[in-house]
Amino acid sequence: MGDKRGTPLYMYRHLIGGRFLVSQCRLGVMTSEDMDEAEKLHDRVTRGLSPEIFVPTGPSDLERLVGGEGISVGVWSGEKLICMRAVATDALWVNDTLEKMSFPADETGRTVYTDHCIVDREFRGNNVQFLTHYAIEHRIADTHDVFFTTVSPKNTFSLANILGCGFVVMGLKELYGGYLRYIMRKKLDRCMPIWTHGHFVIPISDIKKQKEAIAEGMVGYKMIRKNRGHSMLYAPMAEHPPRGYWKNMADGK
């Protein structure tokens, strides 16, 4: 079981019949010895999911993620793995992924790619996606300061979690064999401000307008529920404010 001396967590565990109880869990770094539990968790969580929502990570990539080409943290309830967050750190692997997303390679080797974060159904609602992201961020911030990941526009639960971790939408593209994904990024250093006054509210279902906003240098930074559907707030991300920004603020626009 990964790091058995990991950080203790006390989380709600949901049981049948509408019951729940507080369960002691532990968060620690995973190793290749945890492959069996990693595969079991993937099977439990992703069984029956459409690839439009989530594409499971295959066994060979799981081995890379818990080996020397990535870092993975897990949360265990007893000997059972109930959450796994995996980040690819190998520069060649990361740059290959960036190329597929139409982003330039990172020659500095300071970029990582979050491959997945999955949670057992009995332990959802504990903000464990949030906790595991910051656990990894804390461990690698000295050597890696740019995080990329992807999420389906139809997976609004995971999208909200990723936005809550400080990621923004940088792209919208078909990946994984033709499935639409937001491309999301978080920079820990040398990041530019997002000028939110006068943001644009674009329905998540309106792919064309979102792509146009991204092409104009805007990023999606917040999701809201509007008109019985979800929308993304887009605003410019730039070193300097857009033309007329301060005047519009003064005019209350």
Side-chain angles (χ1 to χ4, degrees):
M1 171 193 147
D3 183 357
K4 294 186 178 180
R5 299 166 296 175
T7 305
L9 299 174
Y10 296 86
M11 304 193 303
Y12 286 125
R13 179 185 176 190
H14 300 278
L15 305 174
I16 60 173
R19 300 172 297 146
F20 67 88
L21 53 80
V22 174
S23 176
Q24 179 177 330
C25 302
R26 288 190 175 273
L27 182 152
V29 176
M30 298 176 66
T31 71
S32 57
E33 296 178 358
D34 300 306
M35 267 297 297
D36 185 54
E37 277 297 304
E39 289 182 337
K40 288 179 181 177
L41 177 62
H42 261 77
D43 182 62
R44 292 199 307 272
V45 172
T46 65
R47 189 186 304 130
L49 281 181
S50 165
E52 289 187 346
I53 299 295
F54 185 81
V55 175
T57 302
S60 61
D61 282 347
L62 280 178
E63 289 183 0
R64 299 172 73 184
L65 289 164
V66 298
E69 297 180 70
I71 179 171
S72 300
V73 297
V75 180
W76 288 264
S77 174
E79 297 297 316
K80 179 182 179 182
L81 184 68
I82 57 92
C83 174
M84 177 181 180
R85 177 178 286 277
V87 172
T89 57
D90 177 76
L92 291 176
W93 192 5
V94 171
N95 284 337
D96 180 61
T97 303
L98 290 173
E99 181 182 354
K100 292 175 181 176
M101 297 189 299
S102 300
F103 279 80
D106 176 14
E107 301 301 331
T108 70
R110 296 186 64 87
T111 297
V112 298
Y113 173 73
T114 301
D115 183 87
H116 65 266
C117 180
I118 54 175
V119 184
D120 188 284
R121 289 173 175 81
E122 291 185 354
F123 288 88
R124 290 178 183 172
N126 284 286
N127 292 321
V128 70
Q129 289 185 322
F130 182 86
L131 293 171
T132 52
H133 169 76
Y134 283 100
I136 285 186
E137 191 175 286
H138 171 73
R139 289 179 179 273
I140 67 174
D142 289 340
T143 55
H144 299 84
D145 51 25
V146 181
F147 286 72
F148 272 87
T149 194
T150 61
V151 63
S152 167
K154 296 183 178 181
N155 191 351
T156 53
F157 180 80
S158 289
L159 178 57
N161 278 314
I162 294 168
L163 289 166
C165 289
F167 286 74
V168 294
V169 174
M170 299 292 298
L172 187 54
K173 184 177 180 178
E174 289 185 350
L175 298 167
Y176 313 119
Y179 300 104
L180 194 63
R181 293 292 188 266
Y182 282 122
I183 299 170
M184 316 217 20
R185 187 185 74 185
K186 180 178 183 180
K187 297 184 72 173
L188 310 185
D189 191 23
R190 304 181 304 278
C191 52
M192 291 187 291
I194 301 171
W195 303 89
T196 62
H197 185 77
H199 59 241
F200 292 84
V201 182
I202 305 177
I204 284 179
S205 59
D206 195 333
I207 305 304
K208 182 174 181 292
K209 283 190 178 179
Q210 289 185 91
K211 287 185 175 181
E212 290 173 352
I214 293 167
E216 292 174 6
M218 299 186 188
V219 298
Y221 68 94
K222 185 176 182 180
M223 182 175 63
I224 62 172
R225 190 164 184 86
K226 188 177 179 67
N227 299 328
R228 290 183 287 184
H230 289 93
S231 293
M232 186 71 69
L233 303 188
Y234 282 88
M237 182 173 68
E239 192 65 42
H240 303 288
R243 180 177 298 177
Y245 184 83
W246 299 117
K247 183 178 184 302
N248 288 339
M249 283 192 67
D251 293 341
K253 295 181 180 179

